[in-house]
Amino acid sequence: GAGVSQSPSNKVTEKGKDVELRCDPISGHTALYWYRQSLGQGLEFLIYFQGNSAPDKSGLPSDRFSAERTGGSVSTLTIQRTQQEDSAVYLCASSLGGTSGMVKFFGPGTRLTVL
Amino acid sequence: RKEVEQDPGPFNVPEGATVAFNCTYSNSASQSFFWYRQDCRKEPKLLMSVYSSGNEDGRFTAQLNRASQYISLLIRDSKLSDSATYLCVVNPGQGAQKLVFGQGTRLTINP
């Protein structure tokens, strides 16, 4: 497929466990973004990658959240010691870059439920 | 105060009606403006960018008033398929490579 893909599509975990969420951007897209959408809330920016570096991590809510990107492609968002308030849909998006953050292509998201 | 505010609705209108959504943003440095639509349990999709001169795409017209920090979206001759949540979205400017989303306005078109 030519779109942004994310895995898993759904993840249920117990409070205190670590989770890893994966994003495969569109081939050739240098910019990659993570957002999350909690129930009844708007999308909230988490982190922006340009290539493998993350010039803007300002949206990560705590030091339990981290993300990396390797080879200018796949990105992994890791949440350590998950809490119930981490339950949300985590969305990844990619773009060619230089678009002031405007994205046309979001992935389908990973729905995370922390019990 | 939220950075981007929208009337959450819901708006319920009959097919064929014209419907308008409004949005305000608080950061005067904001540079780029967009409307996205989001269907239930799906990812957001870019509907259109919004320019100061106003712009139209088929049945959809977007307007931006920088002085009032106000954005609007007008949908004419609404279709059942227009039922969705409409998200007002802003780039906060100053080189930021991110988007700030409003909470969305839910629209249902009734047959």
Side-chain angles (χ1 to χ4, degrees):
Chain A
V4 179
S5 60
Q6 293 186 245
S7 60
S9 54
N10 280 284
K11 176 72 177 177
V12 180
T13 191
E14 292 178 349
K15 180 180 168 181
K17 301 279 190 190
D18 297 353
V19 294
E20 281 191 357
L21 312 180
R22 177 186 167 110
C23 172
D24 282 87
I26 292 172
S27 178
H29 279 193
T30 58
L32 185 148
Y33 311 82
W34 284 97
Y35 286 82
R36 77 174 176 181
Q37 188 169 29
S38 305
L39 189 62
Q41 301 294 315
L43 274 83
E44 174 190 16
F45 168 80
L46 297 178
I47 188 169
Y48 156 62
F49 285 93
Q50 180 57 42
N52 290 338
S53 62
D56 189 350
K57 308 179 185 181
S58 62
L60 295 177
S62 75
D63 59 8
R64 295 186 297 103
F65 287 72
S66 62
E68 64 174 13
R69 190 178 184 196
T70 54
S73 181
V74 172
S75 177
T76 303
L77 177 69
T78 301
I79 310 173
Q80 295 179 308
R81 305 181 303 281
T82 51
Q83 303 294 313
Q84 288 181 331
E85 62 262 28
D86 300 335
S87 296
V89 177
Y90 289 80
L91 290 154
C92 176
S94 71
S95 74
L96 287 168
T99 61
S100 298
M102 186 271 284
V103 291
K104 291 185 180 179
F105 308 104
F106 278 89
T110 293
R111 185 173 297 273
L112 175 66
T113 304
V114 182
L115 302 176
Chain B
R1 182 185 172 189
K2 290 193 172 70
E3 197 165 341
V4 179
E5 297 215 50
Q6 297 181 248
D7 180 346
F11 284 54
N12 289 283
V13 301
E15 193 173 8
T18 294
V19 60
F21 305 134
N22 303 319
C23 164
T24 57
Y25 60 95
S26 60
N27 181 356
S28 60
S30 298
Q31 286 198 335
S32 307
F33 309 89
F34 311 96
W35 284 100
Y36 281 72
R37 75 170 270 168
Q38 186 172 25
D39 294 290
C40 189
R41 299 179 75 87
K42 296 285 192 182
E43 70 273 20
K45 293 187 191 311
L46 177 66
L47 181 64
M48 59 198 300
S49 300
V50 187
Y51 304 114
S52 297
S53 53
N55 49 298
E56 196 172 298
D57 183 1
R59 298 180 293 107
F60 298 82
T61 301
Q63 296 274 356
L64 167 65
N65 184 321
R66 284 188 184 268
S68 303
Q69 295 179 199
Y70 172 96
I71 306 163
S72 66
L73 177 69
L74 185 79
I75 306 174
R76 291 184 301 279
D77 187 25
S78 52
K79 311 290 184 195
L80 296 176
S81 57
D82 294 335
S83 297
T85 295
Y86 289 83
L87 305 170
C88 178
V89 183
V90 168
N91 169 272
Q94 298 180 319
Q97 296 291 323
K98 65 181 178 184
L99 301 175
V100 179
F101 285 77
Q103 285 194 265
T105 299
R106 188 168 171 187
L107 172 68
T108 300
I109 306 298
N110 301 308

